[in-house]
């Protein structure tokens, strides 16, 4: 599966956590309510805190079920299926208006 890259729009995305959940749901073609419970993999407060504080550098990496997620200080998320991590430079760009 091709990795997914999305840019968070602070003005239109409800919360950082909702942004991540929606991005993973789109990547896996799964209804957000049918995703595994996030709190079993990562503390949602950590995700919210990282993206709300808008650090100038750094990233937050974690695995959620069978996807790896990299949140960057520039408000982007990179999502890759666990089996697809090795060497793919292709990704789907999602522009939010």
């Amino acid at each position: 599966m091709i990795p997914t890259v999305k840019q968070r729009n602070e003005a239109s995305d409800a919360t950082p956590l909702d942004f991540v959940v929606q991005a993973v749901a789109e990547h896996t073609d799964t209804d957000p309510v049918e995703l595994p419970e996030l709190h079993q993999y990562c503390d949602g407060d950590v995700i919210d805190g990282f993206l709300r504080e808008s650090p100038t550098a750094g990233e937050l990496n974690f695995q959620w079920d069978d996807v790896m997620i990299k949140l960057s200080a520039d408000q982007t998320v990179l999502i890759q299926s666990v089996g697809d991590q090795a060497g793919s430079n292709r990704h789907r760009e999602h522009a939010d208006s």
Side-chain angles (χ1 to χ4, degrees):
M1 180 179 289
I2 298 172
T4 298
V5 176
K6 284 191 67 133
Q7 179 76 38
R8 180 171 177 255
N9 182 333
E10 293 181 64
S12 64
D13 291 320
T15 68
L17 188 56
D18 290 340
F19 164 72
V20 171
V21 169
Q22 187 61 42
V24 171
E26 288 175 16
H27 178 80
T28 60
D29 195 27
T30 305
D31 189 302
V33 298
E34 295 189 14
L35 291 170
E37 294 183 29
L38 178 61
H39 72 271
Q40 295 177 354
Y41 299 89
C42 183
D43 184 342
D45 291 337
V46 172
I47 295 169
D48 269 341
F50 180 79
L51 291 176
R52 281 188 199 279
E53 293 173 14
S54 299
T56 57
E59 55 189 43
L60 174 65
N61 298 287
F62 62 97
Q63 183 171 338
W64 182 3
D65 198 29
D66 61 353
V67 296
M68 289 299 298
I69 300 166
K70 179 169 90 172
L71 301 174
S72 298
D74 66 356
Q75 303 287 306
T76 60
V77 62
L78 169 67
I79 303 167
Q80 292 180 285
S81 297
V82 171
D84 294 340
Q85 290 181 46
S88 175
N89 289 329
R90 300 173 307 165
H91 59 271
R92 291 184 290 191
E93 292 284 347
H94 295 276
D96 294 326
S97 51

